[in-house]
Amino acid sequence: MRQLRLCMAQINTTVGDFEGNLAKILKAIDEARSFGTDLVTFPELAVCGYPPEDLLFKSQFLERNLKCINEVVGNSHDIVVMVGFVDQRDDIYNAAAIIHDGRLVDVYHKILLPNYGVFDEDRYFKAGTRCPIYTIAGVKTGVTICEDMWYESGPGTVQAHHGAEILVNISASPYHFRKGDFRKRMLGTRAADNVAIVAHTNLVGGQDELVFDGSSMVLDEKGRLVARARSFQEDLLIVDLNVDSVLGARLRDPRRRKGPPPVEGLWTVHNILVSGARSAVARPP
């Protein structure tokens, strides 16, 4: 049976507190590693805190954020880490670093930038154009950032139809009344429609007028809730994901006979090997 052991690190970060945020990230990595975890995930922009807003215009802020990523890379032996940060290239991006065994393997850039309500991401970030699929412990895994998973024909759907069996979504989704119910229904629909496991790691805590409830969750390929982290508290949720069930469900799903949908606009699909399949060694319970 193919399994991937996932640890979702639901942490409370503070905008600009690089030292404190980094300490929480490194502690969670150590704890996840002690449980024999294949992959540990963190919320959106966990390194710098969310939302950083006009601090993104300060070069010192961006540089400290990148130094923290280098610290995470140096503490990533024997585990794959997905953590949110600000990537700086030709522009700045709301990004997820994919890190393994002392190496920054790749960087995913958020594609769908919200620009309504409390969100103003289009003001600060450039949108990504790549829909990578990462092979982690022998399992094809897609990663998206928050809003990327909110849309039926978004990057997660492209990844799933090009072979991704697990769709990781790192998020900073603020709370409002009944938001948890909406989020569960929406993510369950994405899982069932794409016949893929959805693992949503959400931020917890408060920043200015925003409150983040956590409630990170895993839904199986039928859209059923498998596990959920605590609400309004930091939590470390560890789940063994049975990936063979995804393959079985896809073989019985006539919708997939038509092949993958066309890649939207300028989006491109890439397959990247992060870590090979684990040997059959007993892991810590």
Side-chain angles (χ1 to χ4, degrees):
M1 179 172 65
R2 286 190 307 142
Q3 278 193 342
L4 183 138
R5 178 165 288 188
L6 170 68
C7 175
M8 303 166 73
Q10 179 179 289
I11 60 175
N12 179 0
T13 61
T14 301
V15 171
D17 182 11
F18 292 101
E19 183 176 339
N21 296 344
L22 179 61
K24 289 187 176 189
I25 291 167
L26 296 183
K27 180 183 177 184
I29 290 172
D30 286 341
E31 292 181 7
R33 187 187 291 112
S34 72
F35 286 100
T37 300
D38 297 302
L39 169 64
V40 56
T41 61
F42 293 89
E44 179 179 8
L45 295 182
V47 167
C48 65
Y50 188 93
E53 298 185 323
D54 282 7
L55 289 170
L56 293 166
F57 296 139
K58 297 183 178 293
S59 60
Q60 184 182 16
F61 185 87
L62 299 175
E63 289 165 5
R64 290 189 67 188
N65 148 87
L66 295 175
K67 287 180 180 178
C68 287
I69 281 294
N70 289 334
E71 289 285 329
V72 176
V73 170
N75 287 271
S76 63
H77 59 278
D78 299 326
I79 195 168
V80 179
V81 180
M82 289 184 179
V83 60
F85 79 113
V86 181
D87 191 27
Q88 185 178 16
R89 302 194 182 191
D90 56 315
D91 208 318
I92 62 171
Y93 298 85
N94 184 338
I98 293 80
I99 299 165
H100 176 245
D101 229 0
R103 184 169 64 101
L104 177 61
V105 177
D106 193 43
V107 175
Y108 171 81
H109 294 154
K110 187 173 183 178
I111 292 175
L112 303 176
L113 301 174
N115 211 49
Y116 56 86
V118 300
F119 302 107
D120 201 12
E121 291 192 26
D122 200 41
R123 166 180 165 85
Y124 302 106
F125 299 113
K126 185 175 180 179
T129 58
R130 297 168 62 246
C131 293
I133 299 168
Y134 305 102
T135 300
I136 301 171
V139 177
K140 290 188 178 295
T141 306
V143 60
T144 56
I145 301 176
C146 204
E147 194 89 357
D148 289 340
M149 188 60 77
W150 262 233
Y151 292 90
E152 180 180 354
S153 57
T157 296
V158 173
Q159 291 167 336
H161 282 271
H162 284 81
E165 300 156 298
I166 297 174
L167 301 176
V168 169
N169 180 252
I170 66 171
S171 180
S173 176
Y175 175 79
H176 59 70
F177 184 57
R178 301 201 178 189
K179 180 69 171 286
D181 292 337
F182 161 78
R183 204 184 290 134
K184 176 177 174 290
R185 288 196 305 272
M186 182 273 294
L187 293 171
T189 300
R190 298 291 168 271
D193 285 351
N194 292 311
V195 196
I197 297 169
V198 170
H200 167 79
T201 306
N202 195 32
L203 184 65
V204 67
Q207 179 65 39
D208 296 332
E209 78 279 10
L210 300 179
V211 175
F212 301 95
D213 60 309
S215 305
S216 302
M217 65 186 78
V218 178
L219 302 105
D220 69 12
E221 69 283 354
K222 295 181 180 179
R224 300 173 300 194
L225 184 67
V226 173
R228 177 155 46 189
R230 292 180 292 180
S231 298
F232 304 105
Q233 299 179 62
E234 291 188 311
D235 204 359
L236 205 67
L237 184 64
I238 298 174
V239 187
D240 286 325
L241 303 177
N242 176 12
V243 185
D244 282 344
S245 64
V246 174
L247 175 60
R250 286 181 173 179
L251 290 174
R252 295 187 294 272
D253 187 347
R255 294 174 298 177
R256 303 186 69 83
R257 299 289 183 268
K258 299 178 182 179
V263 177
E264 296 291 336
L266 298 176
W267 301 355
T268 57
V269 178
H270 300 263
N271 286 278
I272 300 170
L273 175 65
V274 180
S275 67
R278 279 183 177 267
S279 58
V281 178
R283 304 189 205 181

